[in-house]
Amino acid sequence: MLYHLGFIIVSLLIIVIPLLISVAYFTLVERKFMGSMQRRRGPNVVGFMGLLQPLADGLKLFAKETILPSNANIVLFVLAPIITFVLSLMGWIVIPFGEGAVVSDINVGILYLFAISSLSVYGIITAGWSSNSKYPFLGALRSAAQMVSYEVSIGFIIVTVVICAGSFNLSTIVLAQSKIWFIIPLFPMFIMFFISALAETNRHPFDLPEAEAELVSGYNVEYSAMGFALFFLGEYANMLIMSGMTTILFLGGWLPLFDIMPLNLIPGPVWFSIKLSIFVIAFIWARAALPRYRYDQLMSLGWKAFLPLSLGWLLFTVACLISFNWLPE
Amino acid sequence: MPNYLFYIFAGISIIAALMVITVVNPVHSVLFLVLVFLSSAGMLFVLQLEFIPLTFIIVYVGAIAILFLFVVMMLDIKVTSKSNDFFKYIPVGGLVGSLFIFEIFNTLSKSFVIPKSTMLVDNFVSWVSTVDKVTNLEALGQLLYTYYFIYFLIAGIILLVAMVGAIVLTLQFNKTVKNQLIFRQLSRSADSAVFLARN
């Protein structure tokens, strides 16, 4: 019993600590990368070439004063960032980093990830409501509507991949791609999944919830210090988990590019990290390069373009699989 | 261990269900409703069902309760006095509640067989499942798409009818509102837009 509990705690720490470090360096990569896209240096003062900048930022947020607005609903106001942060950590226990390198290899892993990402709306909407202020409320409503809309097309895309792989288990989905990665037969779905992931994590060009010009900063206007830091960490961990999901669903997870001699000597988790970093860079690239969508355009893209196309492609995939007798198992 | 977890989840769901009807603030009561959904999903997880509680969370918590919360947050929240209403509603509410409990117990005792020794501890070994491992998901799929496919199709048609009904109720053909057609905007070129004005 005690041994089992200790095993759980150690495995969770093995997941959570590298995750927090990678979130910290994600912010540094974002600032450096955007700096070089905009022909400036980015952070370069704290530490060697600015490498200690995220730690300094974290320390600053930790040392600041937590302000609780007097008209806020205090319980929900305190609870909202905790919900967001915990939900962003919960998804990682089913992500396979390599063959067998997964905390909990459950047989409905992809559904679990989908359920967790659909729960993460609650952190945002309770933050917006409990702040009792108009900008957070508008930001939270926008964000919730956006996330609910794009979840529909994400669901259809996941179903398409699951039908091709024949399992809801993430490791089996990766192993089903050992002949060919799903990015090649399902390329339009891959593009749509990545765009939906941008919308689901409230990133540019779909960052309507925190449109600086209109809503100051959206749902987290009233938060300071650790509350804000938890939202920030949760948001970036969500981006990492969406990148990980794209990698697992379409880019063959830990599998090497070709199963030949020099490439398959590189261990699986390294391949997984390389593929995940591609999407991290793509997230930052989209932020630096693209202007923000208008809200009605965002909704019409989600409901009138992505939903019919993903539904149609699902039917097309099923028809192909049945008519050529390619269904797995 | 799993038994204790089951009772913990059951206790949370009962307390949260009581809070749903006693809490004054409607937003709080919707959030307690979400807690009821989550803890009952946890109960199903403890009973080793994986697929049903996950779809339960995705559909009810991820979509329906969100829309609920949306509507409640938009309302002008009034703190109503509870004391008078309680005795006014107790005859009807008590009747409906006792009928419901009677029906549930009647159905449960007829359709499920409870093991004699203890509840919730399965002390029999299902030898079939040790030889032929079928996961929860596969078992459900095998039943749903073979024996019960007609009910599956009927459920789909009912949902379609509900969707069409909702669209018909909310769609308003309004001639005065000008819509933006992206295709028309994008296909506009200089030839059709720029011309010389002559008298």
Side-chain angles (χ1 to χ4, degrees), chain A residues 76-235:
Chain A
L76 289 181
F77 189 80
V78 174
L79 215 57
I82 299 173
I83 293 173
T84 307
F85 182 64
V86 169
L87 284 176
S88 73
L89 296 184
M90 269 173 77
W92 286 93
I93 63 165
V94 294
I95 297 276
F97 297 96
E99 192 153 14
V102 49
V103 176
S104 168
D105 199 13
I106 58 176
N107 67 342
V108 282
I110 191 76
L111 270 182
Y112 173 81
L113 275 182
F114 190 59
I116 293 294
S117 80
S118 69
L119 280 184
S120 63
V121 186
Y122 279 95
I124 290 170
I125 202 166
T126 46
W129 182 77
S130 66
S131 298
N132 203 0
S133 158
K134 59 187 167 224
Y135 294 126
F137 189 56
L138 287 173
L141 289 185
R142 278 186 179 187
S143 170
Q146 174 177 335
M147 286 167 88
V148 170
S149 322
Y150 277 85
E151 245 157 41
V152 183
S153 65
I154 282 187
F156 281 121
I157 295 166
I158 286 175
V159 168
T160 312
V161 172
V162 162
I163 284 173
C164 291
S167 173
F168 277 93
N169 183 320
L170 288 169
S171 303
T172 318
I173 289 176
V174 170
L175 287 175
Q177 305 177 50
S178 50
K179 293 279 191 303
I180 186 166
W181 295 355
F182 285 148
I183 186 175
I184 295 174
L186 300 175
F187 188 69
M189 300 304 264
F190 163 71
I191 298 288
M192 277 161 54
F193 188 84
F194 184 66
I195 296 173
S196 302
L198 285 175
E200 181 77 10
T201 51
N202 297 327
R203 280 291 284 191
H204 298 251
F206 305 110
D207 70 329
L208 271 301
E210 38 186 282
E212 296 94 346
E214 314 151 31
L215 291 183
V216 192
S217 171
Y219 58 89
N220 54 21
V221 174
E222 303 287 343
Y223 283 88
S224 58
M226 263 341 256
F228 177 76
L230 287 182
F231 271 124
F232 199 75
L233 288 173
E235 209 168 285

Side-chain angles (χ1 to χ4, degrees), chain A residues 1 5 73 76 106-109 111-112 114-116 118-119 121-122 125-126 129-130 137 140-142 144-145 148 151 168 294 296-297 300 329, chain B residues 1 25 27-28 31 34 38 45 50-51 54-55 57-58 60-67 69-70 72-74 77 135-138 180 182 185:
Chain A
M1 177 69 195
L5 214 63
N73 191 323
L76 289 181
I106 58 176
N107 67 342
V108 282
L111 270 182
Y112 173 81
F114 190 59
I116 293 294
S118 69
L119 280 184
V121 186
Y122 279 95
I125 202 166
T126 46
W129 182 77
S130 66
F137 189 56
L141 289 185
R142 278 186 179 187
V148 170
E151 245 157 41
F168 277 93
R294 219 173 50 213
D296 60 323
Q297 289 174 336
S300 78
E329 290 171 54
Chain B
M1 182 68 186
N25 192 331
V27 174
H28 289 179
L31 289 174
V34 169
L38 286 180
F45 276 125
E50 310 96 21
F51 182 65
L54 276 172
T55 44
I57 290 176
I58 292 169
Y60 281 89
V61 181
I64 293 175
I66 286 277
L67 298 179
L69 202 59
F70 243 71
V72 171
M73 279 180 179
M74 297 292 204
I77 295 169
T135 61
N136 210 298
L137 200 64
E138 287 163 356
Q180 221 174 25
I182 294 174
Q185 286 181 335

Side-chain angles (χ1 to χ4, degrees), chain B residues 11 19 32 37 41 44 47 49 69 89 94 112 127 129 131 146 152 160 198:
Chain B
M19 295 298 274
F32 274 115
F37 285 143
L44 292 176
L47 295 178
L49 306 161
L69 202 59
Y89 292 125
F112 290 101
W127 293 104
S129 66
V131 180
T146 52
F152 189 66
L160 181 70
R198 287 184 188 154

Side-chain angles (χ1 to χ4, degrees), chain A residues 276-288:
Chain A
L276 196 144
S277 323
I278 293 172
F279 293 108
V280 166
I281 295 294
F283 266 99
I284 303 167
W285 177 33
R287 178 176 176 189

